[in-house]
Amino acid sequence: MILTEESTNQIREKASQYPQRKSAILPALTIAYRQVGHLNDDIYKEISRVIRVPHVEVAEAATFYTLFPKQPVGKYLIQVCHNISCALLGADSLVAYLEQKLGIKKGETTPDKLFTLVTVECLGSCATAPMMQINQDYYENLTREKVDGILEELKAKA
Amino acid sequence: MFYSPVITNATEAVSNDRLHLLRYAEDPDQHKIETYEAHGGYVAWKKAMNGMSPEAVIEEVKKSGLRGRGGAGFPAGVKWGFVPKDSPKPRYLICNADESEPGTCKDRVIMERDPHAVIEGMAIAAYAVGCHLMFIYIRGEFNHCIGRMETANEEAYAKGYLGKNIHGSGYDLEMIVHTGGGAYICGEETALLNSLEGERGMTRIRPPFPAIEGLYACPTIVNNVETLVSVPHIINRGGDWYRSMGTEKSTGTKIFSLSGHVKRPGNYEVEMGFSLKKLIYDPAYGDGILGGKKLKGVIPGGASTPLLTPDMIEVKLDYESLAEVGSMLGSGAVIVFHEETCIVWVIQRLIHFFRHESCGKCTPCREGTGWLEQIIRRIEQGLGKPGDIETIEEICGNILGRTICPLGDAAVMPIQSAIKHWREEWQYHIDHKKCQVKSNYEFR
């Protein structure tokens, strides 16, 4: 079993709220993602057993949604918005700066498995651009100085 | 505790009580139910369920002229009136909080800072259409909104604003906070319905419209966050009060998310019909262009709306005025860019997004957005060929109006406007294999 008892109970509880159990697929994927950090077919199978919908239906839905990484990522998943409002204020140079600081390219994970760097579409933080999301949190109005501080803090916490 | 750093004009709203959407946005305790109640919260909900018939609620909202704030601008009260009165099926209400139109960050601020206003608006709308189970579909990235809405939901149940026999009215209303998976298309209401049913977020052919056959094939109303948040104020102060603001056909107030090359980006609530120029240049709002540079263009209503040139910014911000200059109010996301911005680069960003977010259901959009991105990226990289502009125009013409949902149109309209207004610059990019303007998109 990959899912903990706590996650399983949360999923079961969520599924009981909906008029149709299949509606619990996305919430279940979210709960599993928060626990594991990514999703895979074994997780789809476990979810399918918990909410009692066919495995293929869970996999079918899961593969549509880009929020959930489908393979393991670093402890900190850095998602830089590169859509228009952020791009106008330097999202590309922010990505380049992060690549240089972390010593990896976009799409890669640091050898110590601490950071994965990716770009994503608009995160609804347009008036506080440029921005990035790291795991659950938004970091906004970014400057080089702020980025340095954030990375230091995360490294210290890890 | 978390507090998003967006600039709002909430201070102005405290002294100008016509502004109501962001009025308490700067109060750090507004998300708590006690503070919300102290500011007059849930009064409208009590008034509606105890003193008004569902028909009277719909009439008041129709009278207000409130139109959908998600982008389409359809009158909310009219939409509610489409729910069949004699249907034996359950009815559902869904608050569309899948905010993801590039440039738009208003619903996020509302949910984070004033989550009970969302619940109150939803409850009144649910009552109006005879719904006993309502949903809020929040985009999955908005973790803080989700947390705030979940807590607010628990508080509302604990205080008896949701649940069985609400405040002795005999009315039952349950609410589920549902989260999405990071798909722009799920902001389109039929894709949202599929997504909420646990399917891939692909659109449905309309008719039947969701008001007749929506979630689980039952009558369903889908409204945007900002639309619903306006409803309690309409119930409290009346439809006539609401329509005394704004213009004749675009009534009330609207939050504009101002972003890009302005000195004071932020969320500003203004009456409909407000001047775009004032929003960009007035010190109380955008305060002008970054670095004192010259304005080059504006995307007035989010990434899917046609672009405006500097000579068009005298336009008023309402549905009709923007339509007159060939654009749209959309979600109210005003994205500003200055003279040191390459138009091909801007459009390449946008088409990359639409290609990424096309659900793949219809061929013109699935294939067309891919072709467009390839050609536009090629031009941007200095590899454009003679005839590329004409090819882009032809592809655009084959997408526009030929897709099930508006994503295809949304992808095409900004491109068509950018070629119309800046054709020379596109041609220069192809002929000289580089940008016509010196651009600089460095972050600080």
Side-chain angles (χ1 to χ4, degrees), chain A residues 9-19 21 24 51, chain B residues 176:
Chain A
N9 287 338
Q10 277 178 19
I11 293 170
R12 201 169 280 129
E13 148 76 21
K14 201 74 197 171
S16 70
Q17 296 174 4
Y18 291 89
R21 305 183 66 81
I51 61 176
Chain B
I176 294 179

Side-chain angles (χ1 to χ4, degrees), chain B residues 77-104:
Chain B
V78 176
K79 198 185 217 182
W80 299 357
F82 288 154
V83 172
K85 302 252 175 317
D86 49 357
S87 171
K89 294 176 178 176
R91 297 102 189 256
Y92 298 110
L93 176 106
I94 302 169
C95 173
N96 184 347
D98 192 46
E99 177 169 70
S100 38
E101 175 75 16
T104 319

Side-chain angles (χ1 to χ4, degrees), chain B residues 214-229:
Chain B
L215 187 67
Y216 311 129
C218 298
T220 305
I221 290 296
V222 185
N223 282 137
N224 172 261
V225 173
E226 191 186 353
T227 316
L228 290 167
V229 168

Side-chain angles (χ1 to χ4, degrees), chain A residues 14 17-20 22-27 30 34 57 59-61 63-68 79 82-85 87-95 97 121-130 133 135-138 140-145 147, chain B residues 5-6 92 102-105 108 133 135 137 139-144 176-183 185-186 195-202 216 258-261 265-266 290 335-337 341 345-346 349-350 352-353 356-357 359 441-444:
Chain A
K14 201 74 197 171
Q17 296 174 4
Y18 291 89
Q20 295 185 10
K22 200 176 167 181
S23 283
I25 289 179
L26 256 178
T30 307
R34 285 190 180 174
E57 292 186 1
E60 185 184 47
T63 50
F64 183 83
Y65 298 98
T66 53
L67 181 65
F68 318 111
Q79 306 185 79
H82 70 168
N83 210 301
I84 187 66
S85 299
L88 286 167
L89 293 171
D92 291 352
S93 66
L94 169 59
V95 172
Y97 186 64
E121 298 304 338
C122 186
L123 289 173
S125 184
C126 320
T128 42
Q133 181 175 9
N135 297 352
Q136 310 293 311
D137 298 313
Y138 277 25
E140 308 174 85
N141 291 320
L142 292 175
T143 60
R144 277 160 214 273
E145 205 186 330
V147 170
Chain B
V6 182
Y92 298 110
T104 319
C105 48
R108 179 184 155 217
L133 173 59
F135 301 83
Y137 184 108
R139 70 175 294 189
E141 292 89 338
F142 281 178
N143 293 297
H144 293 286
I176 294 179
V177 177
H178 187 90
T179 57
I185 188 66
C186 292
S195 180
L196 188 43
E197 290 181 5
E199 304 281 346
R200 295 167 78 86
M202 292 169 118
Y216 311 129
L258 183 63
S259 71
H261 292 154
L290 271 182
I335 307 165
V336 175
F337 52 94
T341 311
W345 177 88
V346 168
R349 286 293 146 148
L350 301 183
H352 172 80
F353 168 76
H356 185 262
E357 301 298 339
C359 80
Y441 321 110
E442 277 289 310
F443 89 120
R444 287 175 293 147

Side-chain angles (χ1 to χ4, degrees), chain B residues 275-278 280-281 289 293-300 306-316 325 335-341 343 417 421-422 425:
Chain B
S275 153
L276 172 60
K277 191 174 183 180
K278 192 172 175 192
I280 296 172
Y281 287 100
I289 310 298
K293 297 204 166 59
K294 260 171 46 192
L295 176 70
K296 175 165 180 170
V298 181
I299 310 178
L307 281 59
L308 306 178
T309 49
D311 59 318
M312 296 157 101
I313 63 159
E314 300 287 343
V315 68
K316 290 191 175 1
V325 295
I335 307 165
V336 175
F337 52 94
H338 62 45
E339 54 190 333
E340 290 176 8
T341 311
I343 194 68
S417 69
H421 299 318
W422 291 277
E425 196 179 327

